[in-house]
Amino acid sequence: MPVEPLSQKEIEDRLAELPGWSLDGDRISRSYRLDSHFAAAAMVVHIAQVQEELDHHSDLTLSYHTVSLTVNTHSVGGAVTELDFALARRVEELAPGHGAS
């Protein structure tokens, strides 16, 4: 099934369901704060596993106690699509298990 860019309204509606996520130019993004560098690194590995399962990858940054993601869909010229929100929802599901806030 082809992936289509979402409209501004569709993006806003989906972001309303994902506290902490925001539109950053042509991407959606979120940062998580964790208790330790090890916890942050473990979360990065878990996110990478989800990205492989979805075959959809974000820019993923590991800092000392922080994990940041920015995501858009390269195959449609860097627009935001439902694939991006599918990844964001999966990350939101796994974040509490890592103690992320």
Side-chain angles (χ1 to χ4, degrees), residues 2-83:
V3 178
E4 298 293 329
L6 296 174
S7 70
Q8 186 69 28
K9 172 82 167 96
E10 290 170 319
I11 292 169
E12 291 169 4
D13 290 347
R14 284 166 177 76
L15 284 172
E17 299 169 3
L18 290 170
W21 285 85
S22 63
L23 185 62
D24 184 14
D26 63 349
R27 300 165 177 258
I28 58 171
S29 64
R30 172 120 160 57
S31 291
Y32 297 89
R33 176 96 172 133
L34 293 100
D35 291 334
S36 69
H37 182 70
F38 186 80
M43 185 170 167
V44 165
V45 171
H46 199 166
I47 292 169
Q49 179 183 9
V50 169
Q51 290 175 341
E52 286 297 307
E53 289 171 13
L54 296 175
D55 193 25
H56 190 59
H57 302 82
S58 68
D59 290 335
L60 184 56
T61 304
L62 170 63
S63 300
Y64 182 57
H65 285 174
T66 307
V67 174
S68 299
L69 292 91
T70 57
V71 61
N72 62 8
T73 304
H74 300 287
S75 63
V76 293
V80 176
T81 70
E82 186 55 44
L83 287 175

